[in-house]
Amino acid sequence: MTLQAVFFGAIGTLAETSELQRRAYNMAFAAADLDWVWDRESYARMLYEPGGKTRIRTYAEQAGDRVDAAAVHAAKQMYFAMLLAREGVDLRPGVGDLINALQARGLLLALVTGTDAAQVDALLAALPISRDDFDWVGDRTRAARGKPAPDLYHAAMDDLGLLPHHVLVIEDTPESAQAAVDAGLATIGFAGEAARGRAFPAGVEIVDRLDRDHLNRNSRAGVIAAE
């Protein structure tokens, strides 16, 4: 059977957002009168644990502080959207051309992200692509468990009527890539800035740029024929 769908597994596979996210967290901490400052190195380590609210709760416990993690995270989302609108962001290398090529061939596209819908909308508003470019857009409400559990991938396949051998996934962190692998999906590791140099699950090829050759080599379902 041939490849029928490509799943982008995170907003970070579309654009490099880690530094804007880190700055947004620090702005939210300052607004909440917290003396927390997350530097780049510390934030990169925190990304080993998916989920913004979870990171805030974990950090608060370690610091011995009591915080309203949901409120702080909501403020972070507001600042992230503000930074995106003010400074803009670019698609990562090869993403735009790949999306165009996949659409021209009639393949299904999904954004299988576990982030909040507000952050998805904020990012897409800053990019030259939109929700309309995807046949399925997820967020943390679409599955009972977030990544690294494979539930979001199962939800996307169920809704789109796909089997695992129909799908190729692009992920930007080892933890999220593990979710795809556990769902039985062929996976490319398109490592983001914070995940470069980290070990991805066995069998996941790490690439710096997306192109059809990577899809051809990695898809167990088939290939995208050259024009």
Side-chain angles (χ1 to χ4, degrees):
M1 300 180 73
T2 58
L3 182 67
Q4 295 183 23
V6 173
F7 289 179
F8 286 84
I11 61 174
T13 61
L14 302 177
E16 181 55 68
T17 66
S18 59
E19 179 58 12
L20 290 179
Q21 300 263 17
R22 183 188 71 84
R23 288 168 56 196
Y25 275 112
N26 286 335
M27 294 167 76
F29 300 154
D33 293 324
L34 294 167
D35 61 353
W36 303 354
V37 177
W38 290 358
D39 59 31
R40 290 191 181 208
E41 183 177 352
S42 298
Y43 183 60
R45 289 196 300 270
M46 292 174 195
L47 294 179
Y48 291 25
E49 182 177 31
K53 295 187 189 77
T54 301
R55 291 185 207 111
I56 293 170
R57 293 189 189 100
T58 299
Y59 192 84
E61 290 173 2
Q62 294 172 346
D65 293 330
R66 297 184 64 182
V67 302
D68 184 339
V72 173
H73 191 259
K76 176 260 177 180
Q77 290 180 309
M78 178 190 70
Y79 287 119
F80 179 58
M82 182 190 74
L83 291 172
L84 282 170
R86 187 173 70 193
E87 300 181 16
V89 68
D90 296 321
L91 288 170
R92 293 185 63 193
V95 170
D97 290 343
L98 179 59
I99 288 176
N100 290 337
L102 296 173
Q103 290 174 330
R105 287 167 172 78
L107 271 72
L108 297 172
L109 290 177
L111 178 56
V112 190
T113 177
T115 193
D116 296 273
Q119 291 192 84
V120 175
D121 289 337
L123 178 66
L124 292 177
L127 291 173
I129 56 175
S130 72
R131 281 181 176 265
D132 292 339
D133 288 300
F134 297 94
D135 299 282
W136 194 92
V137 178
D139 58 56
R140 67 175 65 253
T141 67
R142 302 297 292 267
R145 299 181 299 169
K147 298 175 185 178
D151 300 32
L152 275 166
Y153 283 112
H154 291 308
M157 286 189 287
D158 288 346
D159 288 350
L160 293 171
L162 297 168
L163 296 173
H165 55 268
H166 292 148
V167 178
L168 179 66
V169 173
I170 300 165
E171 274 289 9
D172 66 337
T173 68
E175 292 75 23
S176 292
Q178 189 64 59
V181 170
D182 288 348
L185 304 174
T187 307
I188 290 175
F190 189 32
E193 179 181 314
R196 290 194 181 115
R198 294 184 58 202
F200 276 63
V204 175
E205 180 188 1
I206 309 302
V207 304
D208 294 322
R209 180 184 182 88
L210 294 179
D211 59 46
R212 283 171 291 171
D213 288 340
H214 293 131
L215 300 183
N216 292 344
R217 288 200 302 273
N218 284 273
S219 175
R220 295 192 297 265
V223 300
I224 299 174
E227 293 178 338

